[in-house]
Amino acid sequence: MRTHKTLFNYSSIALAISTSLFGATKVSAQELDVKVQEIEKVVVTGTRRMNDVQDVPVNITALSAVQLERDRVYDLVDVAKWVPGLTVIDQGGRTSNPIIVRGLSTDSLNPNPTNTGGGTVATYLGDIPLFIDLNLHDVERVEVLIGPQGTLYGAGTLGGAIRYIPKKAETDLLSAQVFGEVNSLSQSDGTGSTIGGVVNVPLINDKLALRASYQRYKNPGFIDYVNLVQEPGVSNPQPSEEQRGQNLQTVKDANGEETETTRISLRWTPTDELEINLNYNYQDQFVEGRTLIHQDSFGTGPYESGMRVLEPNSLKNTLYSLELSYDFGFAELVVAAGESDYDELGQRDQTDLLLDFQYGYENFPSFTAFTREIQEEEVSTQEVRLVSQSEGPLSWIIGGFRSEFELFSTSEEFTPGYPEFIEVVRPDNLEFFSQGDEELVESAIFGELGYDVTESLNITLGARFYEYDTVVTQGFDLPLDDTRRGAPADQISPDLVTNTAKDSGSLFKFNLGYDVNDEALIYFTASEGYRIGGVNSVVACTPENLSGNGQALCALPDEVLILPDKTENFELGTRLSGLNNRFFLNASAYYINWTDIQVQDVTENGGLPITVNGGKATSKGFELSYRALHGNGLSSQGSYAYTDASLATDEPEFVDGDDAFRGDRLPGSPRQTLAFGLTYETEVYQGMPLLVNYGLNYIGDVYTRVGLRDFGERLPSYTLHNLSATLSGDVWDITLYAKNLFDKYAITSTRAGREDIRQVNDFDVRLYGQFVNQPRTVGVEFTYNFGD
């Protein structure tokens, strides 16, 4: 995992000041009589061919193993801080953190209830599409392609693709590594830790090799749940101060996390042309609770939650995959097949939602409700592609993709003590039950054709032809209400309804790349992206259920079908290098049209979560990134992004029933982000390498709802600082580090809106809360390497 590596190869540390980044005179290596230092080159395969990232005429950012280690990049939240145009909203990981590319978001910043991360980005583990916020260890690099990638990848993308590239088994190297870490959080009573190891074993005549890695990560947590009821349905959730100890309890550091990640790879190269990789990846994550505080809505402290029950969540990802490549000479054939399982089991406080319905729950002084949810997913994917290899002006890629997705989920809401309060015999206290089954089959043919018009000018055309078919069955029941009306005390009979949808279409791409010279590349891309649609399976409303006295759980006619939303993307960019490969600068400007936007909503009757289509939006902006080697062991890197995303049409009842208007800023993404890193490498006692690294991340202000409408708010900007120092011996490394060095306290997003800072009878509603970032973390890490 986290092995220190020398960033640059030095033959001398004495370079003239005139050759530094900011020098005006370019001095040759011959004049200095030393070997010119060069920035680490990163080879990427995001375009399905191996290229230096500086030679690729598309928007791609690669975080190498060196950078992942140096900048302590552990997950997607950390990745996004170094990728201009990518935003991952830090909500603590209890549910999928929303992923936003170039401002393409219209939903309020509530936690994502599904395992999709927002649906605008495809994530890959190797060559297999798999949504997972991977705990990054033993990873070769992370590649992020900004913009639609449906002509290169099997999984369709609206805004981009994120690729985790694990390290492969090496057939000629026997090695092992162990590592450990302990850390302390400024707001926690516990201690965090990481332990793990990696082993690589050649097996048969340098043709077969095994690589296995394991990591166990523990975050002690830093949010105190200070208002937990001792016994739901019996304890008063808002007692007098004298009775507080009899009814409530506090659990400190109740948002801790433990994650275990295991990866096993078997690599077989029976001939020079054939390579086969069998892979197993398992990640088991247990998160104790939300990083949510109720300082404004319930008067808690800055690191305290007012939830009434604990909110644990267990998330397990398993992937088996086969990746085969064969070099025919004129082309390379790649076959990738994967089977993945995802299981989630969680519990959360549901009191406020039911109080909001005002069906009588608010009359029960000891009312506390909680929900338990199960989600099980199975995904089978197959992708085949053929990539040309021959020299010549013509190059091409053609591929086929098929994915079968199955989802089963249940949600149960319990109201302990309430049945007795209304004199109904319901021993399980089950107030609400839902069940969902979904099947989705997606297939596509995709490809690109490139032609070198001249030695400097290349034109690439891409196309994707896709279709999907989805069947969704869902049902809801109100068991407590049914029992009150005379049904058996243990009856659960959801009213199941099945809806289907299918669609097909095509997407196109045009790319032009021009090599001005060996140090400058200009490119232009026009491309289309899409996100598949589907259906909301909610029973249709009838006059009978709308006229009843109880809750009506049903959908109106315009609350059923979900159309695909699409983007048209236009981008102009450049990649520059200079000072003998000691300075790289990349820049791009873009404009995006977004139509038929998919928006999270709830049914008018019953408040059931659904997806609907909105109107149009645009996003425009520019992005910069650079890397520089200054000499004398000093290097730096940085990035900047400006994003202007807004509605393009007036949209009635667009934001939780509130009107929105053209020009309203979209939520979720900061207008401006900036990252800067400074690294100093030298030698100390007896020639041991010492690496000191400083990082700064600025996140600009964020809107929580479109145009600040319907009680939306502006979250202020903030800046985080990180510092680390690594000392290396021949086979060991030791690192001292501090993340969030100055212990900055920041609100990263919100749950619900400030309209929910109110009371229902004598109950304080706690729907509104604020997610906060992790406080200062100080730690020490040790790595030891064995073998060749």
Side-chain angles (χ1 to χ4, degrees):
M1 184 190 137
R2 303 164 183 165
T3 305
H4 167 68
K5 294 183 179 179
T6 302
L7 294 181
F8 309 101
N9 294 319
Y10 293 96
S11 61
S12 169
I13 61 172
L15 284 180
I17 295 176
S18 59
T19 62
S20 68
L21 169 62
F22 306 108
T25 304
K26 183 176 179 181
V27 182
S28 70
Q30 291 80 6
E31 291 172 311
L32 289 172
D33 196 27
V34 297
K35 179 181 178 181
V36 174
Q37 307 167 35
E38 291 187 353
I39 296 176
E40 172 204 16
K41 292 187 177 181
V42 181
V43 175
V44 296
T45 56
T47 59
R48 300 309 193 184
R49 291 183 175 88
M50 296 183 65
N51 296 103
D52 185 327
V53 67
Q54 287 300 117
D55 296 331
V56 179
V58 297
N59 192 315
I60 180 171
T61 300
L63 278 62
S64 69
V66 171
Q67 184 177 353
L68 296 175
E69 163 64 16
R70 181 191 62 208
D71 295 316
R72 313 196 70 76
V73 176
Y74 296 157
D75 53 25
L76 275 179
V77 171
D78 290 338
V79 168
K81 292 174 182 176
W82 295 101
V83 179
L86 178 66
T87 300
V88 179
I89 300 173
D90 187 0
Q91 296 181 338
R94 185 191 176 277
T95 54
S96 301
N97 290 320
I99 305 173
I100 302 171
V101 174
R102 290 177 168 172
L104 298 183
S105 174
T106 56
D107 298 326
S108 60
L109 298 189
N110 288 322
N112 193 341
T114 68
N115 187 42
T116 63
T120 61
V121 177
T123 58
Y124 273 74
L125 182 55
D127 273 321
I128 305 299
L130 173 74
F131 180 76
I132 182 174
D133 192 346
L134 187 68
N135 195 300
L136 295 172
H137 82 283
D138 201 36
V139 171
E140 186 68 35
R141 64 186 179 277
V142 178
E143 299 178 3
V144 181
L145 291 92
I146 299 294
Q149 304 299 327
T151 62
L152 283 172
Y153 289 85
T157 65
L158 187 74
I162 299 172
R163 302 183 67 217
Y164 305 108
I165 312 297
K167 292 184 178 179
K168 289 185 176 182
E170 298 181 70
T171 58
D172 58 352
L173 177 65
L174 176 62
S175 65
Q177 179 190 91
V178 293
F179 51 84
E181 173 186 343
V182 292
N183 58 56
S184 174
L185 277 67
S186 65
Q187 299 294 327
S188 177
D189 292 339
T191 299
S193 62
T194 302
I195 59 171
V198 182
V199 61
N200 189 96
V201 182
L203 295 175
I204 302 175
N205 298 326
D206 291 341
K207 298 293 185 183
L208 185 68
L210 175 72
R211 189 178 186 92
S213 63
Y214 170 81
Q215 176 180 274
R216 181 179 178 273
Y217 163 78
K218 178 182 179 182
N219 184 318
F222 55 92
I223 299 293
D224 299 336
Y225 276 43
V226 297
N227 203 75
L228 296 172
V229 296
Q230 294 187 13
E231 186 177 354
V234 176
S235 304
N236 186 338
Q238 292 187 218
S240 64
E241 193 60 37
E242 299 79 37
Q243 297 178 325
R244 181 177 177 84
Q246 303 170 15
N247 293 275
L248 304 180
Q249 60 182 326
T250 294
V251 174
K252 297 185 71 62
D253 304 331
N255 69 318
E257 174 190 340
E258 291 191 14
T259 300
E260 289 186 282
T261 305
T262 302
R263 186 177 305 119
I264 302 173
S265 298
L266 190 66
R267 183 184 182 192
W268 184 34
T269 55
T271 68
D272 292 340
E273 295 80 18
L274 178 63
E275 178 179 321
I276 299 174
N277 288 276
L278 291 172
N279 306 298
Y280 166 78
N281 191 89
Y282 176 73
Q283 182 163 295
D284 185 352
Q285 182 180 17
F286 178 75
V287 183
E288 294 175 342
R290 303 180 196 268
T291 61
L292 189 72
I293 60 105
H294 294 88
Q295 194 168 16
D296 291 352
S297 59
F298 195 60
T300 68
Y303 291 99
E304 294 179 343
S305 171
M307 290 300 190
R308 306 163 189 84
V309 297
L310 291 173
E311 298 187 303
N313 204 21
S314 174
L315 309 92
K316 297 180 181 180
N317 275 283
T318 305
L319 172 65
Y320 299 90
S321 66
L322 166 67
E323 299 176 10
L324 178 152
S325 63
Y326 189 87
D327 188 352
F328 287 102
F330 74 96
E332 180 185 39
L333 173 69
V334 177
V335 179
E339 298 281 343
S340 65
D341 295 303
Y342 172 78
D343 297 288
E344 181 176 346
L345 173 61
Q347 174 178 291
R348 56 188 174 88
D349 188 345
Q350 192 73 318
T351 310
D352 295 306
L353 177 68
L354 298 184
L355 287 173
D356 221 29
F357 288 145
Q358 298 191 36
Y359 283 123
Y361 306 113
E362 67 277 7
N363 297 320
F364 178 36
S366 298
F367 182 66
T368 295
F370 60 92
T371 294
R372 288 179 183 157
E373 294 166 315
I374 295 174
Q375 186 169 321
E376 300 173 356
E377 297 179 8
E378 295 182 2
V379 184
S380 174
T381 61
Q382 302 87 38
E383 182 172 331
V384 179
R385 64 179 181 272
L386 197 62
V387 182
S388 66
Q389 302 270 76
S390 58
E391 297 290 334
L394 198 64
S395 61
W396 46 268
I397 298 172
I398 186 168
F401 172 79
R402 179 179 173 83
S403 173
E404 298 179 15
F405 169 87
E406 295 182 6
L407 165 67
F408 173 77
S409 62
T410 62
S411 179
E412 300 172 307
E413 292 178 4
F414 299 93
T415 54
Y418 184 70
E420 291 87 341
F421 178 74
I422 60 175
E423 299 181 347
V424 173
V425 178
R426 185 79 202 193
D428 60 8
N429 297 303
L430 186 61
E431 179 272 341
F432 171 85
F433 176 84
S434 70
Q435 173 182 320
D437 292 275
E438 180 179 352
E439 296 181 6
L440 170 65
V441 177
E442 181 184 8
S443 57
I445 297 174
F446 57 92
E448 292 189 354
L449 179 65
Y451 183 72
D452 294 330
V453 180
T454 68
E455 290 185 359
S456 301
L457 178 64
N458 174 270
I459 294 177
T460 299
L461 301 177
R464 178 186 183 88
F465 303 93
Y466 67 89
E467 64 178 15
Y468 65 85
D469 194 339
T470 182
V471 179
V472 180
T473 300
Q474 193 161 3
F476 305 91
D477 190 25
L478 300 171
L480 177 58
D481 190 56
D482 293 343
T483 301
R484 183 176 62 86
R485 297 172 184 271
D490 59 352
Q491 177 177 297
I492 303 175
S493 56
D495 189 3
L496 297 175
V497 59
T498 298
N499 287 329
T500 63
K502 62 173 58 179
D503 194 16
S504 61
S506 58
L507 303 171
F508 299 97
K509 171 184 174 180
F510 170 81
N511 174 266
L512 185 149
Y514 181 71
D515 291 312
V516 179
N517 52 44
D518 291 340
E519 297 181 337
L521 165 69
I522 299 173
Y523 67 88
F524 171 76
T525 302
S527 58
E528 297 177 308
Y530 84 109
R531 173 171 46 181
I532 64 173
V535 286
N536 298 303
S537 276
V538 182
V539 64
C541 292
T542 65
E544 291 76 16
N545 58 29
L546 290 177
S547 62
N549 295 324
Q551 297 185 45
L553 305 177
C554 61
L556 298 173
D558 61 351
E559 296 177 334
V560 176
L561 185 64
I562 309 168
L563 299 174
D565 51 351
K566 297 185 178 182
T567 55
E568 297 174 336
N569 300 260
F570 306 92
E571 179 175 346
L572 179 65
T574 184
R575 294 184 176 276
L576 306 173
S577 61
L579 299 176
N580 296 310
N581 287 328
R582 298 175 60 247
F583 176 65
F584 293 158
L585 174 66
N586 300 325
S588 63
Y590 64 88
Y591 182 86
I592 302 172
N593 284 318
W594 188 16
T595 58
D596 292 326
I597 303 169
Q598 293 182 16
V599 183
Q600 300 303 310
D601 202 352
V602 295
T603 58
E604 183 175 326
N605 297 284
L608 301 173
I610 58 173
T611 300
V612 299
N613 290 98
K616 299 179 180 180
T618 62
S619 178
K620 54 183 178 293
F622 60 90
E623 298 151 0
L624 298 169
S625 64
Y626 88 93
R627 291 186 291 163
L629 179 60
H630 305 270
N632 294 327
L634 189 65
S635 61
S636 67
Q637 62 173 332
S639 65
Y640 172 80
Y642 175 82
T643 304
D644 181 8
S646 61
L647 282 181
T649 53
D650 295 340
E651 297 297 334
E653 300 184 1
F654 189 71
V655 187
D656 294 335
D658 194 20
D659 294 344
F661 299 94
R662 179 179 180 179
D664 281 351
R665 177 176 164 184
L666 301 186
S669 288
R671 274 272 173 90
Q672 300 184 78
T673 60
L674 182 145
F676 173 74
L678 189 64
T679 301
Y680 177 67
E681 188 170 12
T682 187
E683 293 181 351
V684 290
Y685 178 69
Q686 293 184 347
M688 289 190 298
L690 173 66
L691 184 146
V692 179
N693 188 67
Y694 165 75
L696 176 151
N697 297 108
Y698 168 81
I699 294 90
D701 67 282
V702 171
Y703 280 21
T704 63
R705 291 185 177 176
V706 173
L708 297 184
R709 305 205 177 264
D710 194 33
F711 296 93
E713 58 186 301
R714 173 186 170 273
L715 303 182
S717 61
Y718 60 95
T719 303
L720 302 177
H721 303 263
N722 304 313
L723 185 65
S724 66
T726 299
L727 183 67
S728 299
D730 291 336
V731 294
W732 56 266
D733 307 308
I734 187 168
T735 301
L736 299 176
Y737 70 89
K739 297 191 74 170
N740 191 3
L741 177 64
F742 299 113
D743 205 15
K744 176 66 177 179
Y745 179 83
I747 306 301
T748 60
S749 64
T750 60
R751 178 174 180 254
R754 287 186 173 270
E755 74 275 18
D756 286 312
I757 302 178
R758 53 190 170 81
Q759 283 192 324
V760 175
N761 282 11
D762 294 328
F763 290 88
D764 287 320
V765 174
R766 289 161 242 183
L767 280 173
Y768 177 80
Q770 297 170 321
F771 291 92
V772 298
N773 67 313
Q774 184 160 304
R776 179 175 56 235
T777 306
V778 178
V780 58
E781 179 182 85
F782 183 77
T783 302
Y784 192 88
N785 298 288
F786 305 85
D788 299 340

